[in-house]
C-alpha cells in the first residue's frame, strides 16, 4: 500500500512543475485524444502568414508601377524628326510607359528604330521621367511626292514626307519612281539604284567647291546642275574632276555671257582634257532653225553619239574619242560655242 501511494505520489510530483492545464493535456494525449482547436489555430496562422506575404508583394509591385510610371519624356538630338513621333514610338510598346522597362528595352542594340533614326539612347532623369537622345539619319536629297516632299538618305531609303523643307538637303528633279510602291523605311523604287550614291558624291563636292546650284536634275542615270540660266551636264562618273572646273568657268561666263542661257558640257570631261565647251542657247536655236533635212541627220547622229557615250564610260581613252566626236558634231551644227581652258 505504501509503495502504491508512493508511486502515485511520485507520478503526481512529476507534473507538479506544470500547471493543471498542461497535466490534463498530457493525460488526454496519452489516452489518444487530440484537441481540434490546436490544428485550426495552426492552419489559421499559416494562412495569415501567406496572405501577409502576398499582400506585401502586391504592395511592392503596385508601388513600383506607380513610382516608375513615365509622366514626362524629353527628346533631344532631333532636327527633322517630330518629337511626338519619338514619344509615340515609346508608347507603342505594351509596357513602354514604365521607365525601368523602357530603359532596358529601348537601349538594346537590336531595337527597331524609326525610319528617320539611326540610333537612340534612353536615360533616367527621375523614376517617372526619361530622356530620349536620338541620332538622325543624314538626308541626301528630296523629291516631289503627292504634293509633299519625300526625303531619302544616302542609300535611297525613304525617311519622311512633309510639306516643310529641311536645310542642307538637295532638291532632285526628274527622278523616275513608282509612287504606288513607295514605303517609308524602304529603298525608293528606281531603275538605277546607283543614282543615290552619285547624289551623295555630288552633294559632298558641291560643299567642297562652295557651289550653290539652284537645282539638280536627274536624267535617266545622269545628273545635271543648274546655276541660274546655265545648265551643267555631269554624266555618270569623274565628278571630282568635272565639278572642279565649274567655279572658274562660271566666273568667266558671268563676264562674257551675262544672263546668257546655255549648256556647259562636262559629261565626257576628264583630267586629260584641255578645254571645256559652253554652248549658248542662241546657238542651239539657230542650228535647229537651219536644220531641215540636216536636223534629222543630226538627230540620227546624236542617237549614235548617245550609244557611243554609253560605251565610252568603260575607259578614259574612249571618253576622249567621244569628246572629239562631240566637238566635231557641234561644228557641223553651227554650235561652235566657247571653249574654256
Amino acid at each position: 500500500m505504501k509503495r502504491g501511494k508512493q508511486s502515485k505520489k511520485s507520478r503526481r510530483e512529476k507534473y507538479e512543475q506544470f500547471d493543471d492545464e498542461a497535466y490534463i493535456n498530457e493525460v488526454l494525449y496519452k489516452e489518444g485524444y487530440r484537441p481540434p482547436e490546436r490544428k485550426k489555430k495552426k492552419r489559421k496562422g499559416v494562412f495569415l502568414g501567406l496572405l501577409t506575404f502576398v499582400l506585401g508583394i502586391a504592395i511592392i509591385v503596385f508601388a513600383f508601377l506607380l513610382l516608375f510610371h513615365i509622366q514626362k519624356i524629353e527628346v533631344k538630338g532631333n532636327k527633322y524628326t517630330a518629337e511626338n513621333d519619338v514619344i509615340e514610338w515609346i508608347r507603342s510598346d505594351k509596357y513602354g510607359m514604365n521607365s525601368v522597362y523602357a530603359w532596358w528595352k529601348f537601349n538594346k542594340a537590336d531595337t527597331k528604330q524609326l525610319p528617320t533614326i539611326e540610333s537612340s539612347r534612353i536615360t533616367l532623369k527621375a523614376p517617372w521621367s526619361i530622356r530620349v537622345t536620338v541620332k538622325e539619319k543624314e538626308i541626301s536629297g528630296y523629291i516631289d511626292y503627292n504634293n509633299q516632299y519625300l526625303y531619302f538618305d544616302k542609300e535611297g531609303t525613304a525617311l519622311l514626307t512633309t510639306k516643310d523643307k529641311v536645310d542642307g538637303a538637295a532638291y532632285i528633279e526628274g527622278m523616275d519612281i513608282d509612287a504606288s510602291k513607295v514605303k517609308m523605311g524602304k529603298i525608293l523604287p528606281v531603275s538605277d539604284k546607283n543614282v543615290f550614291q552619285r547624289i551623295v558624291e555630288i552633294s559632298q563636292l558641291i560643299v567642297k567647291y562652295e557651289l550653290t546650284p539652284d537645282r539638280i536634275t536627274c536624267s535617266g542615270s545622269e545628273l545635271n546642275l543648274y546655276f541660274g540660266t546655265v545648265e551643267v551636264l555631269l554624266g555618270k562618273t569623274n565628278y571630282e574632276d568635272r565639278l572642279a572646273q565649274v567655279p572658274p568657268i562660271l566666273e568667266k561666263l558671268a563676264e562674257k555671257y551675262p544672263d546668257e542661257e546655255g549648256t556647259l558640257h562636262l559629261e565626257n570631261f576628264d583630267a586629260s582634257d584641255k578645254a571645256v565647251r559652253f554652248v549658248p542657247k542662241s546657238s542651239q536655236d539657230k542650228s535647229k532653225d537651219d536644220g531641215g533635212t540636216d536636223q534629222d541627220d543630226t538627230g540620227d547622229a546624236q542617237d549614235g553619239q548617245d550609244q557611243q557615250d554609253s560605251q565610252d564610260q568603260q575607259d578614259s581613252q574612249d571618253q576622249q574619242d567621244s569628246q572629239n566626236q562631240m566637238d566635231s558634231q557641234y561644228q557641223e551644227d553651227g554650235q561652235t560655242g566657247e571653249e574654256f581652258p
Side-chain angles (χ1 to χ4, degrees):
M1 292 293 293
K2 289 182 179 181
R3 282 187 175 182
K5 288 182 179 181
Q6 290 178 355
S7 177
K8 289 182 180 180
K9 185 176 180 180
S10 298
R11 184 180 178 188
R12 182 68 179 178
E13 289 175 352
K14 185 178 180 180
Y15 294 101
E16 281 183 352
Q17 58 182 327
F18 303 106
D19 57 15
D20 292 339
E21 183 179 357
Y23 175 75
I24 294 172
N25 290 335
E26 175 66 18
V27 174
L28 292 174
Y29 179 81
K30 288 185 176 182
E31 294 178 355
Y33 178 75
R34 301 292 184 272
E37 289 78 5
R38 282 185 174 273
K39 290 186 177 181
K40 287 183 178 181
K41 289 181 179 180
K42 186 177 181 179
R43 291 175 181 174
K44 186 177 181 180
V46 173
F47 175 77
L48 289 175
L50 181 61
L51 180 62
T52 302
F53 175 77
V54 172
L55 288 175
I57 295 297
I59 291 173
I60 294 174
V61 172
F62 179 76
F64 175 80
L65 295 176
L66 184 62
L67 180 63
F68 290 92
H69 179 75
I70 297 176
Q71 301 178 26
K72 182 181 179 181
I73 300 178
E74 180 182 352
V75 181
K76 293 290 185 180
N78 59 314
K79 297 179 180 178
Y80 58 84
T81 304
E83 182 176 325
N84 286 337
D85 290 343
V86 178
I87 294 175
E88 288 302 319
W89 173 60
I90 298 293
R91 289 179 174 174
S92 63
D93 192 283
K94 185 177 180 180
Y95 306 106
M97 292 307 291
N98 180 273
S99 58
V100 175
Y101 174 84
W103 175 84
W104 170 78
K105 171 73 174 181
F106 294 99
N107 280 336
K108 295 171 65 177
D110 59 349
T111 299
K112 185 178 180 181
Q113 303 286 346
L114 290 171
T116 57
I117 302 301
E118 182 175 332
S119 63
S120 62
R121 181 170 55 89
I122 291 181
T123 55
L124 296 178
K125 295 184 63 180
W128 54 86
S129 177
I130 65 173
R131 173 183 293 164
V132 185
T133 305
V134 299
K135 180 182 178 182
E136 295 175 317
K137 293 181 180 179
E138 185 176 351
I139 291 178
S140 295
Y142 66 99
I143 59 176
D144 291 319
Y145 173 75
N146 291 344
N147 298 322
Q148 292 182 313
Y149 300 121
L150 188 153
Y151 291 85
F152 55 88
D153 65 6
K154 62 183 180 181
E155 297 176 350
T157 303
L159 299 180
L160 78 156
T161 57
T162 177
K163 291 184 178 181
D164 300 325
K165 290 187 177 181
V166 177
D167 294 336
Y171 175 55
I172 312 298
E173 291 184 3
M175 184 178 291
D176 185 20
I177 65 170
D178 188 349
S180 63
K181 295 182 180 179
V182 173
K183 294 182 179 179
M184 291 298 105
K186 302 295 182 181
I187 296 178
L188 294 175
V190 295
S191 57
D192 183 9
K193 290 182 173 55
N194 292 326
V195 70
F196 300 115
Q197 297 177 358
R198 300 186 189 110
I199 291 173
V200 172
E201 183 180 356
I202 287 179
S203 299
Q204 294 172 346
L205 292 173
I206 285 174
V207 174
K208 178 179 178 179
Y209 293 109
E210 299 181 351
L211 296 170
T212 54
D214 298 311
R215 55 197 174 103
I216 303 175
T217 64
C218 181
S219 178
S221 297
E222 299 184 354
L223 296 173
N224 308 318
L225 305 181
Y226 283 83
F227 298 88
T229 58
V230 177
E231 178 187 20
V232 181
L233 304 184
L234 295 176
K236 299 180 181 179
T237 57
N238 295 335
Y239 293 135
E240 177 80 33
D241 295 333
R242 295 171 185 179
L243 283 171
Q245 313 303 315
V246 174
I249 292 178
L250 289 179
E251 292 181 4
K252 293 181 180 180
L253 287 176
E255 297 175 0
K256 193 166 186 177
Y257 296 97
D259 300 325
E260 178 70 28
E261 185 175 355
T263 303
L264 184 63
H265 289 274
L266 288 168
E267 66 269 38
N268 293 302
F269 178 86
D270 62 25
S272 63
D273 292 337
K274 297 181 179 180
V276 178
R277 182 174 295 278
F278 173 74
V279 180
K281 188 175 185 299
S282 57
S283 177
Q284 299 177 27
D285 293 340
K286 182 179 179 181
S287 66
K288 291 180 180 179
D289 294 338
D290 296 339
T293 304
D294 293 336
Q295 185 175 10
D296 295 335
D297 295 337
T298 301
D300 294 337
Q302 188 63 44
D303 291 339
Q305 181 65 37
D306 291 339
Q307 295 177 358
Q308 182 65 36
D309 290 345
S310 176
Q311 298 175 357
D312 289 343
Q313 298 296 329
Q314 303 301 320
D315 55 67
S316 59
Q317 184 59 44
D318 288 343
Q319 286 183 349
Q320 182 62 45
D321 294 342
S322 177
Q323 180 66 44
N324 294 336
Q325 293 175 11
M326 180 175 287
D327 293 343
S328 176
Q329 183 65 48
Y330 285 138
Q331 293 173 0
E332 293 175 5
D333 293 343
Q335 300 180 19
T336 55
E338 179 80 16
E339 288 189 351
F340 294 91

